Amino acid sequence: MQLASFRNEPLSDFKGNPEHFRRMQEALQEVKKELGAKYPVVIGSERIETKESFHSYNPSEKDQVVGTFSKGDAGLAALAIEKAEKAFDSWSRTPAETRAKLLVTTAKIIRDRKFHFAAWMVYEVGKAWAEADADVAEAIDFCEFYAREMLRLADRQPITPVPGERNRLVYIPLGVGVVIPPWNFPMAILVGMTAASIVAGNTVVLKPSSDSPTIGYKFFEALEEAGMPAGVVNFLPGPGSSVGDVLVAHPRTRYIAFTGSKEVGLHINELAAKHQPGQIWIKRVIAEMGGKDSIIVDSETDLESAVDGVTASAFGFQGQKCSACSRAIVDEKVYEAFLEKLKERVEGIKVGDPVEPETYMGPVVNARAKESILQYIKIGKDEGRLVSGGKEVSGPGDFIAPTVIADVPPEARLSQEEIFGPVLAVLKATDFEDALRIANNTEYGLTGAVYTKNRAKIEKAAERFHVGNLYFNRKCTGALVGGHPFGGFNMSGTDSKAGGRDYLLLFTQAKSVSEKQST
Ligand code: NAD
């Protein structure tokens, strides 16, 4: 199979292209009519309706049910692993080309309905139009990119010739993988971890987040439509604690691909490390976790563009990104000028229901998240000085005003802990050296950015700012598949570099085959 070189999916232009605007509005109307439908567990070729179910809600309209889901339990979790293992037998021997083709066909199905997928995200997790559109584009990118990567790995691999032998190295799949995504990139991350798994020849039990199962189900349907054999992906919504633990601990689980919080990631890592009776391998854990990401604003920079980058990174999707800027570390020479401009910009942000096209910030994902964020704001008011926001915004959803807290000390809780909401701490640095020291002072190491015009400072930060994804003179969110392989250091996870050339290796094992040539 010949595929054109990989190119990122273009983003929609809702402001400049009336056709994109119209199609998104139509998609929102159409999806609205489908809200509240019931969805089953899918194991092998069976669609199972359980007695117990749970709802996914629209965080902008908390009474509105987006979907009602059958609820997985321990028994179904074990059954799903069993069916995935059965499907592994033939799927692992299916040619790489066929597996790659499945992803390319799935990408086309998603592309044809991209506004509908985006609309589901507006309703289910409260993404603004542009954010939802970027999430869909990234999901398409993962399918297209990993299809090409699999073809590369399936090709002849370079090895040193050994006289008298015919040798090769082949990448074979691992077995049954458990895929556990978060709700915040409900499409891109779920699709990325699942697509990488199956294109490499593994089979999967996919447990979506209980805050965003509908989008997971819609992707599952796209895979089926593209011709995926039954059992290759098994769809099992349910509580992380009970269903997740059974899946992770199961002796036939070969690997876990997880993206989520540090706490859950560490728990999974520990549970997966424990040898279970009958288990004949060491489980692999791919765990991408939290962040406490900083943008350094140097004295030698254009403050307007620094304010642009910090605002977009801190408040895009309500700050609910692992890559979100939650600390601006600003040189004292430009500190007050930066704060003044930032305050003005942040106070112009429109908060509301993201069904409305002009909304920049929607709700936070649920009431629990809102309570936790408001608690951090309270702490922040004690630790620093409230500059803007700092309160709920009234409405039928969980809305919080974009919040800036200045003069936060580097060791304060607001500087150290992941808040995962629209709260930005601003810290004062005495100089560039001090800013770099502060930037490296958390347990995380995911993303970071530096705004400076000074070449020597760029070189210094490139070497010393210890994060998996570092950017200069641009925002610290918005990594592109292929261009910015993504993953963090330290407590941010295993640095898997999703969307890069190293990623599929995590879902395969290399087998060396050597044959003595007859003389
Ligand atoms: P979370 O850890 O609460 O949940 C993630 C997933 O784990 C969910 O599907 C959940 O149901 C499941 N889960 C919970 N308990 C489990 C258990 N005991 N066993 C197995 N699975 C279990 O995270 P979240 O709130 O969904 O997402 C937000 C977090 O994700 C933030 O910390 C954010 O930084 C992180 N994140 C990281 C990246 C990255 O690439 N590093 C990307 C996106 C989000």
Side-chain angles (χ1 to χ4, degrees), residues 384-398:
R385 162 170 61 104
L386 183 70
V387 172
S388 54
K391 55 182 185 307
E392 287 183 54
V393 175
S394 65
D398 290 315

Side-chain angles (χ1 to χ4, degrees), residues 180-184 189 207 240 245 259-261 264 289-290 322 418 420:
I180 305 180
W183 53 265
N184 73 324
I189 294 179
K207 195 217 78 60
D245 279 359
T259 306
S261 62
V264 175
M289 314 194 307
C322 55
E418 185 180 48
F420 221 58

Side-chain angles (χ1 to χ4, degrees), residues 178-185 189 207-212 238-248 256 258-265 267-268 271 287-293 320-324 365-366 368 418 420 444 446 486-488 491-494 496 498:
V178 171
V179 172
I180 305 180
W183 53 265
N184 73 324
F185 280 87
I189 294 179
K207 195 217 78 60
S209 163
S210 301
D211 283 307
S212 58
S241 45
S242 51
V243 171
D245 279 359
V246 175
L247 293 172
V248 170
I256 298 102
F258 167 81
T259 306
S261 62
K262 178 190 97 177
E263 289 69 24
V264 175
H267 167 75
I268 287 175
L271 188 58
E288 292 310 310
M289 314 194 307
K292 188 73 193 172
D293 311 307
Q320 301 173 116
K321 299 182 189 179
C322 55
S323 55
V365 72
N366 56 34
R368 199 161 24 93
E418 185 180 48
F420 221 58
Y444 295 105
L446 188 46
F486 191 80
M491 279 299 158
S492 292
T494 51
S496 63

Side-chain angles (χ1 to χ4, degrees), residues 34-53:
E34 288 183 51
L35 296 181
K38 279 172 103 178
Y39 301 91
V41 164
V42 190
I43 299 179
S45 52
E46 258 191 286
R47 283 174 145 69
I48 302 168
E49 275 199 27
T50 59
K51 278 206 194 87
E52 265 196 87
S53 60

